[in-house]
Amino acid sequence: MARNIAILGATGAVGLEFIAVLEQRKTPVGELRLLASARSAGTKLRFRGREIRVDEVGSRSFDGIDVALFSAGAAASRTWAPVAVAAGARVVDNSSAFRMDDGVPLVIPEINPQAIGDAAIIANPNCSTIIMNMAVWPLHRVHPVRRIIVSTYQAASGAGRRAMLELENQTRDVLAGKPAAPKVFPHPVAFNLFSHNTPIGEDGYNVEERKMVLETRKIFDAPDLAISATCIRVPVLRAHSEAINLTFEQQITEDEVRAILCRAPGVKVVDDRAGNRFPMPIDASGKDECYVGRIRRDIGQPDGRGIELFVCGDQLRKGAALNAVQIAECVGPR
Amino acid sequence: MARNIAILGATGAVGLEFIAVLEQRKTPVGELRLLASARSAGTKLRFRGREIRVDEVGSRSFDGIDVALFSAGAAASRTWAPVAVAAGARVVDNSSAFRMDDGVPLVIPEINPQAIGDAAIIANPNCSTIIMNMAVWPLHRVHPVRRIIVSTYQAASGAGRRAMLELENQTRDVLAGKPAAPKVFPHPVAFNLFSHNTPIGEDGYNVEERKMVLETRKIFDAPDLAISATCIRVPVLRAHSEAINLTFEQQITEDEVRAILCRAPGVKVVDDRAGNRFPMPIDASGKDECYVGRIRRDIGQPDGRGIELFVCGDQLRKGAALNAVQIAECVGPR
């Protein structure tokens, strides 16, 4: 029952969250092996009351490991996933390295756990993709969605722990009358926002937006689903928000949407119109559920097939570590 | 040529911007009369090198005034606009009091200056509406738009000067480990965002969203234009951003859109894909132009009728004071 788990990238924002999630969920763990690059090796981290030293990742790092959780970037995943697999481990990879590869399942356990099968590498989807689809899938499953238009409000955590620190420190500087001096982000983030800083393709979409489109189609097994995304970074620490406009194949009522979302696993409906209380990143931060609200019929689609939603989800939890640990809990031994 | 101008709400965020805009545009001004409630009367403000005392507004305040610029809230507008009109002034009102009234023109000078006519009261549209339509109108004029879906990222300035101070002070508190203590906004704004805090109607849309829908239809004289808006407050000081998805009646190319926007008055195209440089609120702050970028064909509309845009505009300038002063410059004597 208890399996040996390795974490690659243990000292990063997602790595630290892997440890917290394993502890909080009481996931049965035999050995917990913490791995990182040479730069972070030697750091000591606590897990279930004891200190564990972070080791530098190497060719023997995955010997005896059942499940390896990776969050050290796509390049590290490409280097170390074959090593872990050769050592007999199953890899749950949080990077984009393998997500679109044929034969690598891309999994949100509430949506497509059956895709895991006996794959050696299972990919964890992009954070914005997970958070959007926690709300969209339960609807799509019952009432097929034809088109999605999403605008994101993405937290600094998506760019890692140094980006979160940059948001805090730069904001402190700006409040003290000093200029913003961006290092991690290409643009000032204090009291500002900007288009997601991933490369832009020929069609004008950036890599983050492309992930939301292609990954959603793969997870839903809906290759023709029409999706457009605009991904924007905002000065928020760790929960992503998304304004989602849906067009369904058939008419759907607001009440049906609310009823479906109220019973959807991993979803919390926060939709208090009288109290003007809806999902907010500070409420969703540190929480496992994705918060959904502003549920309303799209008045721009008078045929009754349109629904608007607003979603917030913790980027480090359901957007990354929690989803990966849920996958790890689903995988059996190889 | 030089006319006597009164400003009601002179000490507010928009009031101060009225003064700055009149000065910077070298608008011919005879007397400048500054008016406010009793609470702010006595404040001294500078205009063109001299100090002007702010007077408490009263029944004789508009005698001899040619144009009165109002930005003191809808209740003050309802009280004082009839007084100003009776005194022979023409009122440019920044509040929502009269915007949807028949016979009150709702004007963006780049779009419908002809609507001004000889109206005694001219309404200045909602800030998010102006900023969106500076980009949408030049396209709609040539290639009719059938449907707009917009998600906003609205600055604190839209809720006034105290809201801007709250954002700064609350952020300072949070960085110092103190709890956020919201007073102006109903929710914490430091490192957070929330659904626009205007009342929600039965259809689930809030008042700000409803303004964007109804005011756009009135300004465009397009009563059937399909529009849906999601209005979100973000921790930014004074420029609003908006992700806009458009569906046109006919096919349109990205190049046509870019060409039209490049020559549109009051619009600055910032769309550097290679440099990943697009409109940002800190760049648009204090500027007269609305910045437009992320121009691309909507890949979710394979019939070629969809376009995505991202717009930033200074909420206090084009979103309020500049637009009102431009209207004032258009109106003749009564």
Side-chain angles (χ1 to χ4, degrees):
Chain A
M1 191 61 185
R3 285 162 312 158
N4 297 335
I5 292 182
I7 295 176
L8 176 61
T11 60
V14 175
L16 295 171
E17 206 67 29
F18 279 144
I19 300 171
V21 169
L22 287 170
E23 180 144 349
Q24 286 158 21
R25 288 174 70 84
K26 305 189 192 335
T27 308
V29 179
E31 181 192 353
L32 181 66
R33 199 175 297 172
L34 303 182
L35 305 166
S37 64
R39 205 186 44 178
S40 300
T43 308
K44 283 172 182 157
L45 297 170
R46 293 193 76 77
F47 177 65
R48 294 181 181 163
R50 59 194 189 82
E51 246 178 15
I52 304 179
R53 188 183 179 282
V54 177
D55 291 327
E56 182 180 352
V57 62
S59 57
R60 315 304 309 167
S61 290
F62 302 97
D63 293 0
I65 291 296
D66 298 299
V67 181
L69 301 171
F70 276 30
S71 189
S77 291
R78 283 194 199 92
T79 304
W80 297 108
V83 177
V85 170
R90 297 185 75 177
V91 173
V92 182
D93 182 32
N94 192 48
S95 83
S96 61
F98 308 112
R99 285 181 192 150
M100 297 308 299
D101 287 7
D102 285 341
V104 173
L106 183 64
V107 175
I108 301 174
E110 288 85 350
I111 300 179
N112 61 341
Q114 76 287 349
I116 294 172
D118 57 3
I121 300 175
I122 303 110
N124 203 45
N126 163 270
C127 46
S128 303
T129 307
I130 295 176
I131 291 163
M132 172 171 85
N133 289 327
M134 287 299 289
V136 174
W137 170 260
L139 303 171
H140 177 71
R141 201 175 65 88
V142 191
H143 299 278
V145 170
R146 174 186 289 181
R147 182 178 172 209
I148 304 173
I149 301 159
V150 59
S151 305
T152 70
Y153 304 68
Q154 295 185 226
S157 60
R161 204 157 55 90
R162 286 176 57 234
M164 298 170 77
L165 289 171
E166 175 157 295
L167 170 57
E168 291 187 330
N169 291 331
Q170 191 182 95
T171 303
R172 208 173 268 121
D173 284 348
V174 168
L175 285 170
K178 294 181 211 162
K183 290 191 189 91
V184 180
F185 289 121
H187 306 294
V189 66
F191 303 115
N192 193 32
L193 53 82
F194 50 85
S195 178
H196 197 278
N197 53 296
T198 38
I200 312 277
E202 268 191 18
D203 60 3
Y205 284 78
N206 62 42
V207 167
E208 183 80 358
E209 292 160 353
R210 184 159 298 281
K211 286 175 184 173
M212 292 190 78
V213 173
L214 300 180
E215 294 184 17
T216 298
R217 289 180 181 156
K218 179 168 177 175
I219 297 162
F220 284 18
D221 191 19
D224 299 322
L225 185 56
I227 313 179
S228 184
T230 300
C231 289
I232 304 293
R233 186 79 70 187
V234 295
V236 163
L237 281 162
R238 61 175 279 172
H240 286 356
S241 305
E242 306 183 18
I244 302 171
N245 183 290
L246 298 173
T247 304
F248 292 83
E249 296 284 355
Q250 309 282 337
Q251 290 198 355
I252 185 166
T253 69
E254 200 178 280
D255 288 345
E256 285 175 279
V257 170
R258 192 168 285 110
I260 291 168
L261 290 174
C262 280
R263 58 173 188 264
V267 168
K268 179 172 173 175
V269 172
V270 181
D271 202 29
D272 172 9
R273 291 182 183 177
N276 216 312
R277 184 109 203 160
F278 301 104
M280 297 196 291
I282 52 166
D283 288 342
S285 288
K287 304 295 189 336
D288 286 349
E289 296 85 7
C290 290
Y291 287 31
V292 186
R294 296 303 316 277
I295 300 166
R296 62 205 192 276
R297 220 192 81 165
D298 173 2
I299 52 171
Q301 296 189 67
D303 60 3
R305 297 188 299 125
I307 289 287
E308 293 267 18
L309 302 173
F310 192 72
V311 180
C312 290
D314 188 308
Q315 186 273 328
L316 294 173
R317 306 244 346 158
K318 187 58 191 172
L322 171 63
N323 196 72
V325 169
Q326 287 176 300
I327 294 171
E329 290 170 352
C330 293
V331 305
R334 281 176 69 204
Chain B
M1 189 66 183
R3 284 162 313 159
N4 296 335
I5 293 182
I7 295 176
L8 177 62
T11 59
V14 175
L16 296 171
E17 206 66 29
F18 279 144
I19 300 170
V21 169
L22 287 171
E23 179 144 349
Q24 287 159 20
R25 288 175 70 84
K26 306 189 193 333
T27 308
V29 179
E31 181 192 353
L32 181 66
R33 200 174 296 170
L34 303 182
L35 304 167
S37 65
R39 207 186 43 181
S40 301
T43 308
K44 284 174 181 153
L45 297 170
R46 293 194 75 79
F47 178 64
R48 295 184 180 160
R50 59 195 189 82
E51 246 178 15
I52 304 179
R53 187 182 179 283
V54 178
D55 291 327
E56 182 181 352
V57 62
S59 58
R60 315 306 308 170
S61 291
F62 302 97
D63 294 0
I65 290 296
D66 298 299
V67 180
L69 301 171
F70 276 31
S71 189
S77 291
R78 282 193 200 92
T79 304
W80 297 108
V83 177
V85 170
R90 298 185 76 176
V91 173
V92 182
D93 181 33
N94 191 49
S95 84
S96 62
F98 308 111
R99 284 182 194 150
M100 296 310 297
D101 287 7
D102 286 341
V104 173
L106 184 64
V107 175
I108 301 173
E110 288 85 350
I111 299 179
N112 61 340
Q114 76 288 351
I116 294 173
D118 57 2
I121 300 175
I122 302 108
N124 204 45
N126 163 271
C127 46
S128 303
T129 308
I130 295 175
I131 291 163
M132 172 171 86
N133 289 327
M134 287 298 290
V136 174
W137 171 260
L139 303 171
H140 177 70
R141 202 176 63 89
V142 192
H143 299 279
V145 170
R146 175 186 287 183
R147 184 179 172 210
I148 304 173
I149 301 159
V150 58
S151 304
T152 71
Y153 304 67
Q154 296 185 225
S157 59
R161 202 159 55 91
R162 288 175 57 233
M164 297 170 78
L165 288 171
E166 175 157 297
L167 170 57
E168 291 186 331
N169 290 330
Q170 191 182 95
T171 303
R172 207 172 268 123
D173 284 349
V174 169
L175 286 170
K178 294 181 212 161
K183 290 192 188 90
V184 180
F185 289 121
H187 306 294
V189 65
F191 303 115
N192 193 32
L193 53 83
F194 49 85
S195 178
H196 197 279
N197 53 294
T198 38
I200 312 276
E202 268 191 17
D203 60 4
Y205 284 78
N206 64 41
V207 168
E208 182 82 356
E209 292 159 354
R210 184 159 297 280
K211 287 176 184 171
M212 292 191 78
V213 173
L214 299 179
E215 293 184 18
T216 298
R217 289 179 181 156
K218 179 169 177 175
I219 297 163
F220 284 18
D221 191 19
D224 298 323
L225 185 57
I227 313 179
S228 184
T230 300
C231 289
I232 304 292
R233 186 79 70 187
V234 296
V236 163
L237 281 163
R238 61 174 281 172
H240 285 356
S241 306
E242 306 183 18
I244 303 170
N245 183 289
L246 299 173
T247 304
F248 292 84
E249 296 284 355
Q250 309 280 338
Q251 288 198 358
I252 186 166
T253 69
E254 202 178 278
D255 289 344
E256 286 176 279
V257 170
R258 193 168 284 111
I260 291 168
L261 290 174
C262 281
R263 58 174 188 264
V267 168
K268 179 172 172 174
V269 172
V270 180
D271 203 29
D272 173 10
R273 290 182 183 175
N276 216 312
R277 184 108 204 161
F278 302 104
M280 296 196 294
I282 51 167
D283 288 341
S285 289
K287 303 294 190 334
D288 286 349
E289 295 85 8
C290 290
Y291 288 30
V292 186
R294 296 302 317 277
I295 300 166
R296 61 206 194 276
R297 219 191 81 164
D298 172 3
I299 51 171
Q301 297 189 68
D303 59 4
R305 298 189 299 124
I307 288 289
E308 293 267 19
L309 302 173
F310 192 72
V311 180
C312 290
D314 188 309
Q315 185 274 326
L316 293 173
R317 309 256 328 170
K318 188 58 191 173
L322 171 63
N323 196 72
V325 169
Q326 287 176 298
I327 294 172
E329 290 170 351
C330 294
V331 306
R334 280 177 69 203

